[in-house]
């Protein structure tokens, strides 16, 4: 979250029109216009909201559009279905993360393609952090790998009691390189961040709260949704004097 100039009426109207066009992997809506916040929902429940190339393209687009809307004073980042996010989607045609291992692929070209893809994915999640509006993560179910990267980029993190968090990259002999290793030490401390990244162990909602990964734990998904909506409304009251 950062400060900035108020968007022009033309820019705001263009952003609203673009939001109405919709997204392939996200659902963006304003649950209550009077409340002053928007919800960005990961919307691939059948795939446990795994992050596809399309998702990495749409997350920064959505955050940029909301950044330009004066009516968006806060953003709630949630997910559809039983789980928050299963991490990065590794399969599928054209996926740059699997191109390097494709049979007959030029290893130099594949390595360069992988490097560029990782930089683009890093930028996509950093768009959450760059958003000038407070972003509240509402996590339920499993939050795996890239899901933790998303959560770490948010300003406020809440979860339901059954939520779990895990960095699985170590089990795949790769590095969690989409921002978690840079952001988590500032959030939970170096020791806890190293523990999560090097062991790949799953932590519960209460352990996540104890180490500071989340600030509030709610008893159910329903209470989580109501709780983060209340936080967003409280932020609206607190930021009425700010210029976006």
């Amino acid at each position: 979250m950062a400060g900035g100039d108020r968007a022009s009426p033309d820019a705001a109207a263009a952003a609203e029109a673009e939001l109405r066009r919709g997204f392939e992997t996200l659902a963006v809506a304003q649950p209550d216009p009077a409340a002053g916040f928007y919800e960005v929902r990961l919307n691939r429940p059948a795939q446990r909201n795994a992050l596809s190339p399309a998702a990495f393209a749409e997350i920064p687009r959505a955050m940029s559009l909301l950044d330009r809307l004066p009516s968006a004073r806060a953003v709630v980042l949630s997910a559809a279905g039983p789980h928050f996010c299963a991490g990065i989607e590794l399969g599928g045609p054209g996926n740059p993360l699997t191109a390097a291992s494709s049979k007959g692929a030029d290893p130099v070209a594949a390595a360069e393609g992988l490097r560029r893809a990782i930089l683009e994915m890093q930028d996509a999640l950093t768009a959450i952090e760059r958003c000038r509006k407070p972003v509240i993560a509402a996590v339920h179910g499993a939050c795996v790998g890239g899901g933790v990267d998303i959560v770490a980029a948010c300003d406020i993190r809440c979860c339901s009691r059954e939520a779990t968090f895990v960095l699985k990259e170590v089990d795949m002999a790769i590095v969690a390189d989409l921002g978690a290793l840079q952001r988590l030490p500032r959030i939970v401390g170096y020791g806890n961040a190293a523990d999560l990244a090097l062991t790949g162990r799953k932590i519960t909602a209460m352990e996540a709260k104890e180490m500071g990964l989340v600030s509030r734990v709610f008893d159910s998904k329903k209470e989580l949704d109501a709780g983060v909506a209340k936080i967003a409304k409280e932020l609206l009251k607190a930021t009425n004097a700010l210029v976006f």
Side-chain angles (χ1 to χ4, degrees):
M1 180 183 67
D5 298 328
R6 189 183 298 275
S8 70
D10 289 345
E16 287 178 347
E18 183 71 16
L19 283 174
R20 285 195 293 270
R21 293 191 183 97
F23 300 83
E24 176 186 338
T25 68
L26 307 173
V28 180
Q30 189 176 25
D32 178 4
F37 72 91
Y38 278 71
E39 182 180 24
V40 175
R41 187 184 305 118
L42 303 179
N43 197 33
R44 302 180 73 219
Q47 293 79 28
R48 295 181 176 84
N49 298 310
L51 299 172
S52 64
F56 280 108
E58 290 187 335
I59 288 172
R61 175 182 158 220
M63 301 309 296
S64 175
L65 292 172
L66 293 173
D67 196 66
R68 287 148 50 189
L69 278 185
S71 60
R73 304 300 296 271
V75 178
V76 172
L77 207 164
S78 64
H83 298 291
F84 182 77
C85 180
I88 300 173
E89 185 174 74
L90 297 179
N95 192 312
L97 296 182
T98 55
S101 59
S102 298
K103 186 176 180 180
D106 177 355
V108 175
E112 178 59 19
L114 179 61
R115 173 182 172 275
R116 291 182 180 276
I118 290 173
L119 291 174
E120 290 174 0
M121 289 188 292
Q122 289 173 342
D123 286 343
L125 300 193
T126 298
I128 300 170
E129 188 176 59
R130 284 197 301 259
C131 183
R132 297 174 299 161
K133 317 303 172 71
V135 182
I136 309 165
V139 181
H140 72 286
C143 182
V144 179
V148 178
D149 290 289
I150 288 177
V151 168
C154 295
D155 299 297
I156 299 173
R157 293 163 293 278
C158 302
C159 71
S160 56
R161 190 169 295 276
E162 92 291 348
T164 59
F165 301 82
V166 59
L167 289 173
K168 290 292 288 182
E169 287 85 350
V170 68
D171 291 338
M172 303 169 63
I174 60 176
V175 176
D177 54 2
L178 297 189
L181 295 185
Q182 291 72 37
R183 296 184 178 103
L184 283 179
R186 301 198 303 266
I187 297 169
V188 302
Y190 178 84
N192 284 324
D195 181 1
L196 295 176
L198 295 176
T199 67
R201 70 184 183 89
K202 182 188 299 183
I203 62 170
T204 65
M206 295 313 298
E207 187 172 359
K209 187 176 188 302
E210 288 172 4
M211 68 173 58
L213 179 57
V214 299
S215 56
R216 308 191 198 188
V217 177
F218 296 88
D219 285 335
S220 67
K221 175 68 163 59
K222 182 178 180 180
E223 292 184 26
L224 170 68
D225 292 340
V228 295
K230 182 180 179 182
I231 294 171
K233 293 173 183 178
E234 291 171 349
L235 290 176
L236 175 60
K237 295 177 182 178
T239 59
N240 274 335
L242 296 180
V243 176
F244 287 109

